[in-house]
Amino acid sequence: MEGVMDHTMRALLSRVGGMDYLVSEFVRVTQRRVPAQSLKRLVPELNNHCQTPYKHPVHLQLLGSNIETMAKTAAEASLAGVTHLDLNFGCPAKRVNGHGGGSFMLQDPETLYQVVKAVRESLASNIPLSAKMRLGYLDEDLFFENLEAIEKAGADTLTIHGRTKKDGYGPAARWEKIGEAVKRSKMTIIANGDIQNRDSLQRCIAITGCTHFMIGRGSLSNPFIFRELKGGKAGSLEELFLLINSYIDDLLEHYDDFATLGRIKQWSAHLRRDWPVIAENLKAIRATQHTNDLKMLMKKLEE
């Protein structure tokens, strides 16, 4: 979730709580290794024992297709103090796939195997390795080959998003395919896609047989979702506005006014799905020119 799930958003979600851990935005690995110091800059939690300020573990995620530089970056991740490494083979973005990364890799199980194997061999042996994939690139024909490649290469855990790259986020996630992976694999399989509330979670459990679940976009539209799914109190409108206002202040500690405004507007586009007051006032939110204007608008919406 590049450009959205940065350390400030991870801290916000961690503050609400309910999750077991969070995953960083992917770090791109191209033709050169990413040194430990750069990893610490890109994922600040590496400087805090791989935890958010609220003590939730953060897994470092890498994205790339170059076997050598991925392996070297995994070694650097060990030096940076990573406690869990994740590999992204699921991103459907054109600018990522255009450089051979993300879900593009699902067209070539052998290269997929070689990347995961090289990373596993370069990573300190005590550090768990996981991966994330989709059902395939244009279709699902290589799904089981990709599953086997990742497992044989040494991954402990695999998150599966129930769509292909071609699907994007359009059709409903095909949880039944994730259920087939659970039956075939000894890895821990984590179901991902379309988990938005307790009802959808229960349906996902029934269809997949999974006991582990990952939520991405659903946590942006409802930042209280993890707490709610674990039986905690439902998020209120009052709590949401408190969260938004405090998030503006948190963002201003790391970004300028323009960038802060952009991030809140971006987040509001997600929030509108679960919060009618945001949907009804999204145009006004997008029209604000300064964070002070935005705060005034939020105060009005609370009344």
Side-chain angles (χ1 to χ4, degrees):
M1 298 175 69
E2 187 184 26
V4 182
M5 196 59 71
D6 74 336
H7 65 102
T8 62
M9 179 55 74
R10 293 193 293 272
L12 179 147
L13 293 173
S14 176
R15 183 168 137 195
V16 176
M19 71 289 294
D20 296 319
Y21 63 89
L22 297 111
V23 181
S24 76
E25 296 174 286
F26 59 72
V27 173
R28 293 172 186 259
V29 181
T30 53
Q31 300 306 308
R32 295 182 181 177
R33 67 179 174 85
V34 182
Q37 281 307 114
S38 296
L39 293 174
K40 288 182 176 183
R41 176 178 53 81
L42 293 165
V43 183
E45 293 95 340
L46 287 169
N47 299 295
N48 186 39
H49 309 292
C50 291
Q51 293 182 332
T52 69
Y54 303 93
K55 307 300 183 184
H56 284 101
V58 174
H59 297 180
L60 171 66
Q61 186 179 89
L62 302 180
L63 180 148
S65 56
N66 184 297
I67 298 167
E68 181 181 359
T69 56
M70 284 288 281
K72 287 181 176 179
T73 301
E76 292 291 329
S78 297
L79 295 175
V82 69
T83 54
H84 188 119
L85 189 67
D86 188 63
L87 304 178
N88 185 320
F89 304 120
C91 180
K94 286 183 180 179
R95 64 180 180 277
V96 169
N97 294 169
H99 290 87
S103 56
F104 187 87
M105 296 278 289
L106 300 177
Q107 299 175 102
D108 186 356
E110 177 57 28
T111 301
L112 194 66
Y113 169 80
Q114 294 296 341
V115 168
V116 178
K117 181 173 181 287
V119 167
R120 179 64 276 175
E121 290 173 350
S122 297
L123 190 65
S125 60
N126 63 310
I127 299 172
L129 176 66
S130 60
K132 182 181 180 185
M133 63 179 275
R134 284 181 169 241
L135 301 183
Y137 190 68
L138 297 179
D139 53 49
E140 302 173 14
D141 291 351
L142 295 174
F143 176 67
F144 293 116
E145 288 182 55
N146 288 324
L147 178 73
E148 183 179 14
I150 291 171
E151 182 165 12
K152 282 190 173 180
D156 308 295
T157 303
L158 178 64
T159 298
I160 303 175
H161 182 93
R163 298 179 177 91
T164 64
K165 181 271 177 189
K166 185 179 179 181
D167 290 333
Y169 296 100
R174 293 183 286 285
W175 293 333
E176 64 279 358
K177 199 79 174 189
I178 301 174
E180 292 180 43
V182 172
K183 294 173 185 174
R184 286 181 177 234
S185 177
K186 292 181 180 178
M187 291 183 291
T188 297
I189 302 296
I190 301 175
N192 173 240
D194 288 352
I195 300 172
Q196 300 168 347
N197 48 42
R198 182 169 289 277
D199 177 63
S200 56
L201 175 63
Q202 292 302 322
R203 285 188 286 111
C204 185
I205 292 171
I207 292 171
T208 65
C210 284
T211 56
H212 298 80
F213 308 89
M214 184 171 285
I215 300 173
R217 292 176 301 147
S219 67
L220 294 174
S221 58
N222 178 14
F224 312 105
I225 189 169
F226 299 105
R227 186 180 75 192
E228 292 172 358
L229 290 178
K230 286 197 172 178
K233 68 172 184 175
S236 66
L237 200 54
E238 180 183 9
E239 191 177 6
L240 177 68
F241 282 118
L242 283 172
L243 209 57
I244 293 172
N245 285 314
S246 65
Y247 189 43
I248 293 171
D249 293 334
D250 291 343
L251 285 169
L252 287 171
E253 291 183 14
H254 301 280
Y255 304 106
D256 62 20
D257 195 86
F258 180 79
T260 295
L261 200 61
R263 283 186 173 264
I264 296 294
K265 290 177 181 181
Q266 182 184 44
W267 185 29
S268 296
H270 290 278
L271 288 171
R272 65 178 168 177
R273 196 199 75 188
D274 283 25
W275 303 91
V277 67
I278 299 295
E280 292 160 8
N281 292 278
L282 187 60
K283 188 174 180 181
I285 291 169
R286 287 173 168 167
T288 56
Q289 298 295 311
H290 302 283
T291 52
N292 284 338
D293 299 335
L294 182 60
K295 279 190 168 186
M296 287 176 63
L297 175 61
M298 290 298 170
K299 192 173 181 180
K300 270 177 145 183
L301 300 182
E302 284 183 74
E303 296 171 354

